[in-house]
Amino acid sequence: MRRIALLMAILFPALQGCGTATIEDAVPSGAAQTSAQPQPSSAAFATPGAYPNLNVIPTPAAEHLTPEEVAAKSEELRQRRDTLSAGGGGVADETATLRRLGNSHADEALKAIEGR
């Protein structure tokens, strides 16, 4: 028991020295400034410590699509899906050419590494 008390008497003051750092020491002064924070755009939500007014209708960020635009875009995407699933995507199969090119690049890299 005496050993524990002695150990605590020695270590406790040494451990208190670790707690002297403040947040100002750890954070750069520019990050601690609150003036760089963006201000809320709506006055209804700008009151700190009060409940927000939920009756304020938010303004949309973009125009909403009309039902005609939704139908046109859906049909366009449906046609594109059908074209791609039928294999008529217009992309030629170049697998053999790409494999041959990859093998030649590997050979060139090995020659450059080995100094041939």
Side-chain angles (χ1 to χ4, degrees):
M1 190 65 152
R2 285 183 151 175
R3 289 182 187 173
I4 293 174
L6 181 63
L7 185 63
M8 292 301 289
I10 293 172
L11 288 180
F12 190 68
L15 291 177
Q16 284 182 339
C18 296
T20 60
T22 61
I23 191 68
E24 288 82 18
D25 296 334
V27 177
S29 62
Q33 293 176 352
T34 58
S35 63
Q37 298 293 329
Q39 298 298 324
S41 61
S42 174
F45 301 107
T47 310
Y51 288 106
N53 184 1
L54 299 178
N55 296 322
V56 176
I57 299 173
T59 57
E63 295 283 327
H64 292 287
L65 294 176
T66 63
E68 294 82 20
E69 291 173 328
V70 171
K73 190 57 87 170
S74 297
E75 183 60 32
E76 178 186 338
L77 290 172
R78 199 172 294 114
Q79 288 175 356
R80 173 106 179 162
R81 181 191 59 202
D82 294 341
T83 302
L84 290 175
S85 65
V91 178
D93 186 22
E94 299 180 358
T95 307
T97 307
L98 292 174
R99 288 191 195 281
R100 192 170 45 247
L101 181 65
N103 289 335
S104 69
H105 282 259
D107 292 337
E108 290 173 11
L110 284 173
K111 287 179 185 175
I113 290 171
E114 294 173 352
R116 292 191 223 165

